[in-house]
Amino acid sequence: MAVLALLWGSTFLWIELALRGLSPLQVTFVRCLLGALVLTVACYASGRRLPRGRTVWRHIVVAAFFCNALPFALFSLGQQTVDSGLAGVLNATTPLWSIALGLALGSERGLRPVRLTGLLLGFAGTILILAPWQSAGATGWGALAILGAAASYAVAFTYMGRTLVRRGTPTISLSAAQLVAASGLTAVALPVGGLESIDPGPAVVVAALVLSVFCTAITFHLTYRIINDEGATNAAVVGYLLPVVSVLLGAVVLGEGLSLRVVLGMAVVLVGVGMTRRKDPTATAPARTGEEATGEEEVADSSAPAEDAPAKSTPTEDTRAKDKSAKATPTGDVPSGLPATRRPALETAG
């Protein structure tokens, strides 16, 4: 998760640099297209292939819209007026949207107070970093666009967790197919604002490549793995680490402001993340399957002391006498001492 936070958090820096030579929709299309190419090659190189079937592709297209095409475009549009560090802070609201959706849809049940407190504390930390009471422009259309992207991520994570993951399709296949679908969706929107002239200087080209390969292809696949292994809410919790990475990179690389208030806010965010990741110490072990229980019972039976096992009966004079009398018994008069499974055979004999 730390690797994902580092890659994801640096996304806003590379978007800021790419926007110096490309339009917002061009940045979105390039990162989707190159990311799709990287993951598709990785998919087939690993011996897998893209998913098949209309149903799964319908789900992939919906997920591609909410997880890739829409939020990528909103981030690029928003960062025309919002600093990269602030963009990362606003994106940290994704876990709150994810929790709200999870509770509404029933996928998040029995949310413990400590986790809920951690989520709220993390959000309070992002508010402390943002400090809207000190900057009147922070609530402009650019910030609203980035908040919309964060909410779109939450919708996408929940949708992907309910319709795509844990259904037999490898995550590398799903992530590659989703970026392919996102490339198609973005290409449709290019005539709206993506046909402007470009200025692909060396810094812009490098930023676009890093954004596409590391911050889109690799990051998106890691996100899919977390959703598959830990659930949509835990994937969204990565968003709480983004202010730390995005604010530091913005301050060091782009010269954006970094105050004591921002440092304190990042510390609060990290505490909140730790609380959301805490396991319940009173949680009981998961119920054993029938095979596991049977296997343990067989082991227990085979390891039981000999004196605890019931003694095997040995033939005695009385039992031998009963056996002789059973052989001499006429048809229809079956001794009650015989097992029930033997009676039908005796009754139909002779």
Side-chain angles (χ1 to χ4, degrees):
M1 187 170 287
V3 174
L4 178 58
L6 177 62
L7 292 174
W8 201 351
S10 66
T11 298
F12 309 99
L13 168 66
W14 302 115
I15 291 176
E16 190 82 17
L17 295 175
L19 285 172
R20 295 179 178 180
L22 301 173
S23 70
L25 280 181
Q26 289 170 348
V27 172
T28 303
F29 178 70
V30 168
R31 66 183 296 194
C32 288
L33 183 63
L34 294 183
L37 178 62
V38 170
L39 288 183
T40 301
V41 171
C43 176
Y44 282 96
S46 63
R48 297 176 174 86
R49 61 186 182 185
L50 297 180
R52 295 183 178 180
R54 294 182 179 179
T55 301
V56 66
W57 271 100
R58 281 197 296 267
H59 291 313
I60 286 172
V61 170
V62 174
F65 176 76
F66 286 105
C67 191
N68 306 110
L70 179 61
F72 290 178
L74 289 176
F75 278 125
S76 296
L77 288 169
Q79 282 193 238
Q80 289 183 309
T81 58
V82 174
D83 289 341
S84 64
L86 179 56
V89 171
L90 295 175
N91 187 61
T93 60
T94 298
L96 281 182
W97 299 108
S98 183
I99 283 287
L101 284 172
L103 291 174
L105 297 175
S107 59
E108 288 289 340
R109 299 175 181 174
L111 188 66
R112 294 184 297 114
V114 64
R115 290 193 65 214
L116 181 59
T117 302
L119 288 169
L120 295 176
L121 186 61
F123 180 72
T126 62
I127 294 297
L128 181 59
I129 296 173
L130 179 59
W133 56 87
Q134 292 187 2
S135 177
T139 56
W141 68 267
L144 293 178
I146 294 174
L147 284 174
S152 184
Y153 272 145
V155 173
F157 292 164
T158 303
Y159 185 83
M160 291 155 62
R162 294 170 66 90
T163 62
L164 290 172
V165 301
R166 304 188 190 97
R167 296 180 182 272
T169 305
T171 54
I172 184 66
S173 301
L174 291 173
S175 54
Q178 193 163 317
L179 282 183
V180 169
S183 300
L185 293 172
T186 309
V188 174
L190 279 178
V192 177
L195 300 180
E196 305 171 3
S197 60
I198 62 176
D199 181 19
V204 173
V205 172
V206 171
L209 288 175
V210 174
L211 178 64
S212 303
V213 176
F214 293 97
C215 301
T216 301
I218 296 177
T219 299
F220 183 52
H221 179 55
L222 290 176
T223 301
Y224 239 123
R225 290 287 300 272
I226 291 180
I227 295 174
N228 182 74
D229 297 339
E230 302 185 35
T233 301
N234 285 327
V237 168
V238 178
Y240 273 155
L241 297 175
L242 298 189
V244 180
V245 178
S246 64
V247 170
L248 287 177
L249 288 177
V252 173
V253 179
L254 300 176
E256 298 174 355
L258 181 63
S259 63
L260 178 61
R261 186 198 73 255
V262 172
V263 174
L264 291 176
M266 288 190 295
V268 174
V269 167
L270 291 177
V271 172
V273 172
M275 294 177 66
T276 60
R277 302 290 296 169
R278 283 187 58 186
K279 303 296 183 181
D280 188 357
T282 62
T284 57
R288 295 175 297 175
T289 62
E291 293 180 357
E292 292 174 344
T294 304
E296 291 185 6
E297 290 172 0
E298 289 177 352
V299 172
D301 291 341
S302 63
S303 62
E307 58 268 23
D308 293 339
K312 295 182 179 180
S313 60
T314 56
T316 62
E317 295 296 333
D318 293 340
T319 57
R320 284 195 291 268
K322 289 181 180 179
D323 290 340
K324 290 180 180 181
S325 62
K327 293 179 181 179
T329 303
T331 304
D333 188 12
V334 182
S336 60
L338 287 176
T341 55
R342 295 280 305 277
R343 296 183 186 183
L346 290 175
E347 292 174 353
T348 57

